[in-house]
Amino acid sequence: MTDIDFAVLGTGGIGRRTLEVSQHKDGLTPVAACDRNGIAADRDGLDIDELLDATEGNIASGPQSGPEQSSSAERSSADSRAAKPRDDGDQPRDGDGRGDTEGPDAATDGGVAADATGSAADAAASDGVKQTGEGAGVVASEQGEPTETPIDDVIAVSDAVDAVLIALPNLEHDFIPRIADRFADAGYSGVLIDVLKRSRVIGMLDERADQLEDTGITFVCGAGATPGFLTGAAALAAQSFVEVHEVDIWWGVGLKSGYEDNRGTVREDIAHLDGYDVETARGLSDAEIEEIIDAHDGVLEFHDMEHADDVLLERAGICDAEDVTVGGILDVRSDEKPTTTTVSVTGTTFDGERATNTFELGDETSMAANVNGPALGYLRAAVRRNRAGEYGVFGPAELMPGF
């Protein structure tokens, strides 16, 4: 298999770790990365060490207005940068590459919040963070360029990109599907891969399958840890059985770096707590989220989460979505996992025996290792399929042995 050049949308926690992990994988070259303020692109490959050093503790995030509030001139500029013009009349731009389109701190999945005066960037610089440009995030890198239209800028160089990993929070259910629209409308042919969580998004992507196939896009949805790594583990564990009765996914994550460096991840998870949903989670201020964390002594426990493992296992023919349960424990004050991550698949064998196969992750493996390693693995698998002419929407279980 030839080398793969890829881009990353979003340089918060997940995006940064993806770039870092890729340095340890042969044949993977990051050629573009963007956040809400800027883009870095080099067809020969980015200097990842410099980019990570420049943005350490200085990730572009913070309150923002949605793209529908941008001026018509900005939208016209965005259109002119795309690889192929859009014909969407006066419709607002859907997704501007800055993360979620509304709500406090919805822009990325980590970093220092920037206020209107740019004080976050100043604070980061005063703390000794290397900066070679003005502002927060990618533009602080000597490779970075400021932009109002980061996704369109990535699309503009997409002829040199085999795959695009979307590392953005999905607090608007249709946000990731709208990004897929942007690439398809621009005529991109290649791989799109995301680490989304919520079940209902899969149907939105399926509705776009014909368009993606026509364009030559192979889209792998839910390719992180859960869904993703653990979905694939369940697909493997199911191979012992002729009928699967239930799948139970139970995860443990320790994030000593806390909410400040994992904003999108924690905010999305809070939406699963009793009394909260996506809409209320989007509207919470930083202070309110910190209060929730304090009220739980830093340890949040989740049950019956709307993670897409259920519909992804169903579409792979392994079991009904209602037979899948997902839960876990998040400790934002310790790097130690509060519980061991397991996948248990219960079924009946061809000779009538009922049994449970259990897959367990080592407690020493971090969230970064279990999200970004599999994401890059699924990216490789998707590129192979794309180069073989297989286009459309795929889940992680569909890239495993068939059931």
Side-chain angles (χ1 to χ4, degrees):
M1 183 176 183
T2 58
D3 290 350
I4 296 171
D5 294 336
F6 73 99
V8 175
L9 304 185
T11 55
I14 292 175
R16 286 174 57 81
R17 296 291 81 80
T18 296
L19 294 170
E20 184 176 2
V21 172
S22 71
Q23 294 181 289
H24 302 274
K25 303 283 189 178
D26 292 337
L28 290 177
T29 303
V31 295
C34 71
D35 61 16
R36 65 191 296 260
N37 290 335
I39 180 175
D42 188 331
R43 292 172 185 261
D44 295 324
L46 297 173
D47 182 342
I48 299 303
D49 288 335
E50 188 278 333
L51 182 63
L52 294 178
D53 285 347
T55 56
E56 181 67 39
N58 180 37
I59 303 166
S61 65
Q64 65 182 59
S65 60
E68 66 277 4
Q69 296 176 355
S70 61
S71 68
S72 58
E74 289 170 334
R75 291 198 298 272
S76 176
S77 174
D79 285 344
S80 69
R81 297 188 186 201
K84 185 172 73 176
R86 293 174 56 95
D87 184 18
D88 52 5
D90 295 327
Q91 294 298 312
R93 301 295 291 166
D94 287 336
D96 61 353
R98 305 181 181 191
D100 195 13
T101 53
E102 294 181 34
D105 294 308
T108 76
D109 55 358
V112 179
D115 60 24
T117 64
S119 60
D122 295 337
S126 67
D127 287 339
V129 175
K130 175 183 176 184
Q131 286 185 282
T132 53
E134 297 181 356
V138 170
V139 293
S141 164
E142 61 187 18
Q143 305 167 83
E145 296 289 340
T147 178
E148 294 286 332
T149 56
I151 285 183
D152 290 294
D153 289 358
V154 172
I155 289 173
V157 298
S158 62
D159 61 315
V161 175
D162 299 305
V164 179
L165 191 143
I166 305 168
L168 299 169
N170 194 45
L171 285 167
E172 281 189 335
H173 294 309
D174 61 346
F175 181 62
I176 299 299
R178 294 199 319 256
I179 290 178
D181 290 340
R182 297 282 294 280
F183 277 86
D185 289 348
Y188 173 69
S189 179
V191 168
L192 298 178
I193 186 166
D194 69 45
V195 293
L196 63 80
K197 297 178 180 180
R198 291 191 169 267
S199 305
R200 69 191 74 179
V201 181
I202 307 303
M204 297 180 185
L205 290 169
D206 281 335
E207 293 171 357
R208 293 160 165 82
D210 289 343
Q211 180 189 18
L212 297 177
E213 289 179 23
D214 291 342
T215 310
I217 291 176
T218 305
F219 195 115
V220 179
C221 49
T226 168
F229 188 13
L230 303 185
T231 321
L236 284 176
Q239 300 304 313
S240 298
F241 309 119
V242 294
E243 181 181 2
V244 171
H245 305 299
E246 60 185 29
V247 176
D248 180 58
I249 296 174
W250 182 252
W251 54 263
V253 169
L255 294 174
K256 187 176 182 179
S257 54
Y259 169 63
E260 185 67 19
D261 286 338
N262 303 279
R263 294 170 183 269
T265 295
V266 175
R267 186 180 292 273
E268 281 191 76
D269 283 340
I270 282 177
H272 294 280
L273 287 175
D274 289 342
Y276 297 90
D277 56 23
V278 171
E279 286 69 30
T280 55
R282 285 174 57 197
L284 292 172
S285 67
D286 283 347
E288 288 171 325
I289 288 183
E290 295 284 6
E291 288 176 5
I292 294 171
I293 293 171
D294 290 341
H296 290 80
D297 294 324
V299 180
L300 307 178
E301 185 166 335
F302 307 91
H303 297 275
D304 298 320
M305 303 179 75
E306 188 198 338
H307 269 214
D309 304 85
D310 54 1
V311 295
L312 291 170
L313 288 170
E314 181 175 86
R315 65 179 287 153
I318 291 169
C319 62
D320 292 336
E322 64 188 19
D323 296 327
V324 181
T325 59
V326 180
I329 302 176
L330 171 65
D331 188 341
V332 299
R333 294 175 178 170
S334 172
D335 279 339
E336 290 189 12
K337 289 184 180 179
T339 186
T340 297
T341 297
T342 58
V343 179
S344 298
V345 179
T346 300
T348 300
T349 65
F350 79 97
D351 49 358
E353 296 295 334
R354 184 183 177 99
T356 299
N357 287 343
T358 301
F359 179 87
E360 179 180 298
L361 298 187
D363 289 342
E364 297 78 14
T365 59
S366 66
M367 183 183 78
N370 292 327
V371 170
N372 297 289
L376 290 171
Y378 283 121
L379 184 149
R380 285 186 189 272
V383 169
R384 282 196 296 268
R385 289 193 173 228
N386 185 265
R387 290 174 176 172
E390 294 185 62
Y391 312 132
V393 178
F394 299 86
E398 294 166 82
L399 303 184
M400 307 301 288
F403 183 70

